[in-house]
Amino acid sequence: PISLMNPRSKKLVSYHRTGGLPQTLPFAEPAPLALQLKNGTYCSLRDGGAASTLTSHPTWAVYYYCQHGLAVWASMSATNWGVIRSHSVWTVKTASAAGTGGLTTRKVAKVWFVGMHA
């Protein structure tokens, strides 16, 4: 299995594979692999695994884990994995990754998307 690489790195990574790749369709609006919040905090896309339950919103899930013990939380039906794009400045809702405390709306300063070369 291939795990996610650090999308903030300027290192080009090549994966060699024998055989074909399965056909997939891209998301209508792709979500970033990483975020930098306006306060400088970096967040990385959650790549599986168990997560806490947010006490104030028990039906929400973690979409990104961030520095300083934070996480980006959103409803299970959220589009763009919790990145709110309805305004010119994108935002996310953060709370403790442990699931405690209230939500804070934070502005997104920078995002990283995956790039591919055939």
Side-chain angles (χ1 to χ4, degrees), residues 22-113:
Q23 180 66 31
T24 60
L25 297 173
F27 286 102
E29 295 216 29
L33 287 179
L35 314 167
Q36 182 181 20
L37 305 181
K38 188 169 182 194
N39 68 0
T41 299
Y42 287 102
C43 304
S44 298
L45 184 66
R46 177 181 168 196
D47 185 20
S52 297
T53 299
L54 185 58
T55 305
S56 60
H57 291 79
T59 62
W60 283 28
V62 171
Y63 285 86
Y64 295 86
Y65 284 112
C66 307
Q67 295 172 308
H68 316 297
L70 293 176
V72 171
W73 295 85
S75 73
M76 295 290 279
S77 61
T79 58
N80 302 309
W81 290 310
V83 179
I84 302 162
R85 300 182 182 191
S86 56
H87 296 90
S88 60
V89 176
W90 295 356
T91 60
V92 293
K93 304 277 187 188
T94 64
S96 166
T100 58
L103 289 165
T104 301
T105 300
R106 298 186 189 268
K107 293 179 180 178
V108 176
K110 194 172 186 178
V111 297
W112 287 262
F113 288 95

